[in-house]
Amino acid sequence: MKKIELHLHLEGAAPPAFVRGIAKQKHEDISRIFAADGSYAYSDFWHFLKVYEAATSVLTTPEDYARLTRAVLAESAAAGVVYSETFLSPDFCGGRDVAAWREYLHAIREAADAAEREDGITLRGIITCIRHFGPEKAKETALCAAETAGDWIVGFGIAGDERAGKPRDFAWSFDLAREAGLRLTAHAGEWGGPDSVTDALDALGVERIGHGVRAIEDRATVDRLAREGIVLEVCPGSNVALGLYRDWAAHPIKRLRDAGVRVTVSTDDPPFFHTTMAHEFDMLARAFGWEDEELQALNATALDAAFCDGETKDRIRKTLEAP
Ligand code: ADE
Ligand code: ZN
């Protein structure tokens, strides 16, 4: 089955062998972030963020990001993904300098265009500030976003440690992004509870929430999500791998859906969590008995909530419908 993915961190999708290869070329020793079997090694979410940043530290040029984009899209296309939105951080791409960021973006877009021609996968970018880097750096990131907003950079968001600061600290950045025409999403309700979700909605005016699953702990928050049509970018494999839920059966995606919340499914950082979009769909079928109808509904919601323009949506809709 073809799939739409809305929540994918580009660096977080880097295959470990790819990162090891680049580190070797640059004579950087980052062997500490890998387990004996070659996969990424981390103990919890906060350690995961450190390992993520260490892996990213070897990606230092636009050319590295072009190769990364190509490697990531090859994996996504192999898992059946035909349209993907990826989080991009000027923090890691040129240190939030607008001119440097433009060069990274140019390289990423060229690689994405090649993947579209060769692998039939369409990519769009969501510029993302990093919450634990603080509001001042987020403002610089938002300036990069405003400068490059358009038909390819289609959104603005926030990732990182949800326990650092408050959504309102980032309101200036989200206001600037909104004025530049970008659509908005925020990570919330992953490491923070239902209040974190309502804070993100109230302070940042986002239309999608990254994760958002812990809304399930408060009936009023679930009802609000359903009433306002907020779309959740749910990443069940990520949540289970990071220990938020004991196993797939304990994951609240079905209960959220049954309560009328608009849910979609993504991988977040697939090699870190030993998942792919194909694996996510398989596990939903196994854990909840979801069949074609439910899985197609995830695609339909994702396409509807995608930040790309209408023409692109029409084209992707035709691709989904083609045999
Ligand atoms: N950055 C990469 N993956 C993330 C996640 N699951 N939550 C917050 N920030 C992230
Ligand atoms: Zn994420």
Side-chain angles (χ1 to χ4, degrees):
M1 184 184 290
K2 295 168 195 167
K3 305 167 192 77
I4 310 268
E5 175 159 49
L6 299 181
H7 186 121
L8 179 76
H9 300 263
L10 189 63
E11 299 89 356
F18 171 84
V19 170
R20 259 196 309 281
I22 294 216
K24 195 170 170 205
Q25 275 173 10
K26 298 187 181 181
H27 308 289
E28 296 279 350
D29 180 11
I30 53 164
S31 52
R32 68 186 183 285
I33 71 169
F34 298 110
D37 68 359
S39 62
Y40 293 114
Y42 56 88
S43 52
D44 61 16
F45 174 67
W46 292 272
H47 187 214
F48 155 78
L49 289 178
K50 292 258 174 306
V51 169
Y52 184 113
E53 284 162 27
T56 302
S57 71
V58 303
L59 304 167
T60 54
T61 67
E63 174 58 23
D64 292 340
Y65 269 79
R67 289 172 58 194
L68 171 65
T69 303
R70 206 69 187 82
V72 167
L73 291 179
E75 298 278 340
S76 293
V81 178
V82 295
Y83 175 82
S84 179
E85 290 182 2
T86 191
F87 297 120
L88 300 170
S89 302
D91 296 271
F92 302 132
C93 300
R96 298 175 301 279
D97 174 80
V98 175
W101 161 243
R102 282 188 193 282
E103 289 181 24
Y104 278 84
L105 178 57
H106 181 76
I108 292 167
R109 282 191 67 163
E110 277 197 341
D113 288 348
E116 182 150 22
R117 284 191 306 273
E118 289 158 28
D119 296 335
I121 178 169
T122 299
L123 184 70
R124 293 291 182 269
I126 299 174
I127 295 194
T128 305
C129 60
I130 313 276
R131 190 152 162 172
H132 55 276
F133 291 177
E136 292 311 310
K137 290 185 173 144
K139 287 180 185 173
E140 296 174 20
T141 302
L143 286 167
C144 290
E147 286 291 327
T148 53
D151 62 346
W152 202 88
I153 291 294
V154 291
F156 184 74
I158 182 167
D161 185 355
E162 191 182 344
R163 295 184 183 171
K166 288 277 174 207
R168 66 170 175 273
D169 304 335
F170 299 90
W172 187 95
S173 297
F174 276 73
D175 287 346
L176 180 71
R178 183 186 302 103
E179 282 161 23
L182 291 166
R183 312 270 299 270
L184 305 176
T185 177
H187 280 63
E190 181 191 23
W191 301 102
D195 288 353
S196 176
V197 174
T198 49
D199 281 356
L201 293 174
D202 292 339
L204 306 178
V206 295
E207 56 184 294
R208 297 192 334 217
I209 294 277
H211 299 285
V213 285
R214 291 192 52 200
I216 199 70
E217 295 165 27
D218 177 58
R219 185 72 220 183
T221 306
V222 171
D223 289 346
R224 176 178 178 184
L225 292 175
R227 196 172 57 246
E228 297 184 6
I230 303 295
V231 169
L232 300 188
E233 304 154 6
V234 183
C235 308
S238 161
N239 297 154
V240 171
L242 287 169
L244 209 52
Y245 300 103
R246 189 179 64 249
D247 54 27
W248 276 74
H251 194 280
I253 185 167
K254 182 174 185 304
R255 282 175 283 146
L256 288 161
R257 183 183 188 272
D258 290 348
V261 178
R262 301 176 72 202
V263 297
T264 64
V265 167
S266 296
T267 57
D268 209 7
D269 308 280
F272 281 89
F273 308 137
H274 303 283
T275 190
T276 63
M277 278 297 278
H279 182 68
E280 297 288 317
F281 273 41
D282 279 353
M283 291 305 289
L284 289 167
R286 269 199 233 180
F288 304 115
W290 286 4
E291 299 184 355
D292 271 14
E293 187 187 336
E294 288 89 353
L295 300 173
Q296 297 288 12
L298 296 172
N299 278 337
T301 303
L303 188 56
D304 192 47
F307 288 163
C308 61
D309 57 40
E311 219 172 284
T312 308
K313 279 190 197 189
D314 289 344
R315 186 166 53 78
I316 302 300
R317 193 169 291 112
K318 288 200 185 95
T319 304
L320 277 181
E321 285 164 4

